[in-house]
């Protein structure tokens, strides 16, 4: 009948409308999903790039892992390469076995280690010795790792070896000390006032140590040369510290 046909037509139109709406919703969901997948892939690539950067940084650092008793658990290849010690020679040994003999380094290390249980980190310059007793200098950071109960789990050492630079500094310091024993040396500040002088300097100028703190550099030369001395050491606005006479 006409009424039945009409109802059937309306139901068909309703189903078509719902189907079209569902199709649009599915297309939207597919678009959102593709966009999320694209964002996820971009984030993954960025993470891979950051990981490569992190790996590059880590590979340039010497690293050591210690247990709560300071026993060496692991070392990376960079530490082995720079220290000249193999992984086999290091694993299982106590860190204090690497400390130079006849020094107070062991006492300082024990004091430092006793503070790790509180989570305190230590940064600075340290030294260890190779198997042939050669001293190796490093600049590093000891970081304690505490578990969820706040108990010391392990300690990470991340460092750079600076043995060559340290040896050069020590040699320079020794050379300066040797020089001070051979010639007169005095230090002046930016105002050309004497700060200190060695015994040879005092003896040469027949001065007592208590006198130098009241003298300026110009007091040590003839008045006619004081202007030349000031010009040689710079103007009032220049900071000159530790100049030797």
């Amino acid at each position: 009948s006409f009424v039945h046909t009409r109802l059937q037509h309306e139901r068909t139109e309703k189903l078509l409308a719902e189907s079209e709406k569902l199709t649009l919703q599915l297309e939207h969901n597919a678009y959102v999903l593709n966009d999320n997948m694209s964002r996820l892939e971009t984030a993954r690539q960025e993470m891979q790039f950051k990981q490569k950067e992190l790996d590059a940084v880590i590979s340039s650092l010497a690293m050591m892992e210690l247990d709560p008793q300071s026993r060496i658990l692991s070392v990376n290849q960079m530490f082995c390469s720079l220290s000249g010690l193999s992984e086999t020679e290091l694993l299982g040994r106590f860190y204090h076995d690497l400390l130079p003999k006849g020094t107070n380094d062991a006492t300082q290390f024990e004091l430092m280690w006793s503070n790790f249980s509180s989570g305190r980190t230590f940064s600075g310059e340290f030294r260890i010795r190779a198997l042939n007793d050669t001293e190796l200098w490093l600049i590093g950071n000891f970081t304690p790792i505490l578990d969820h109960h706040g108990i010391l789990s392990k300690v990470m050492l991340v460092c750079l070896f600076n043995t060559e630079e340290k040896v050069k500094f020590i040699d320079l310091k020794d050379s300066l000390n040797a020089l001070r024993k051979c010639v007169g040396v005095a230090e002046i500040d930016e105002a050309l006032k004497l700060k200190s002088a060695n015994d040879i300097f005092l003896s040469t100028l027949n001065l007592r140590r208590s006198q130098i703190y009241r003298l300026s550099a110009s007091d040590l030369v003839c008045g006619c040369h004081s202007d030349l001395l000031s010009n040689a050491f710079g103007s009032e606005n220049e900071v000159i510290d530790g100049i030797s006479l």
Side-chain angles (χ1 to χ4, degrees), residues 25-180:
Q25 184 64 43
L26 290 174
E27 289 178 351
H28 175 71
N29 290 345
Y31 171 79
V32 172
L33 178 61
N34 289 334
D35 183 62
N36 288 340
M37 290 296 293
S38 177
R39 291 174 182 269
L40 182 61
E41 177 62 20
T42 300
R44 186 186 67 81
Q45 292 178 358
E46 290 179 352
M47 288 180 63
Q48 286 183 336
F49 180 74
K50 293 296 183 182
Q51 185 62 47
K52 289 180 179 179
E53 289 185 330
L54 180 60
D55 290 342
V57 172
I58 291 177
S59 65
S60 67
L61 297 173
M63 304 180 68
M64 174 183 286
E65 186 180 29
L66 306 166
D67 72 5
Q69 288 72 45
S70 83
R71 187 182 288 107
I72 300 173
L73 297 175
S74 67
V75 290
N76 68 349
Q77 184 57 43
M78 181 60 70
F79 192 98
C80 294
S81 175
L82 294 176
S83 68
L85 301 169
S86 69
E87 186 176 15
T88 303
E89 292 169 327
L90 289 168
L91 295 185
R93 298 182 65 185
F94 290 96
Y95 182 85
H96 56 255
D97 291 338
L98 303 178
L99 298 176
K101 297 178 180 179
T103 67
N104 62 348
D105 290 41
T107 302
Q108 293 176 352
F109 177 75
E110 289 176 3
L111 177 62
M112 178 181 69
W113 194 268
S114 65
N115 285 275
F116 285 151
S117 58
S118 63
R120 182 180 178 184
T121 62
F122 285 86
S123 300
E125 192 174 57
F126 310 94
R127 59 180 171 176
I128 61 175
R129 60 183 177 86
L131 295 181
N132 60 359
D133 286 337
T134 301
E135 285 191 354
L136 305 173
W137 288 87
L138 51 92
I139 298 174
N141 182 70
F142 284 92
T143 303
I145 308 298
L146 307 182
D147 63 17
H148 61 283
H149 296 297
I151 299 175
L152 181 64
S153 173
K154 59 184 178 181
V155 176
M156 295 296 301
L157 167 62
V158 180
C159 60
L160 292 170
F161 281 75
N162 67 327
T163 303
E164 183 177 351
E165 291 78 5
K166 185 66 177 182
V167 170
K168 289 180 180 178
F169 174 78
I170 293 175
D171 288 344
L172 176 60
K173 185 177 180 180
D174 290 343
S175 298
L176 290 176
N177 289 336
L179 180 64
R180 288 174 179 270

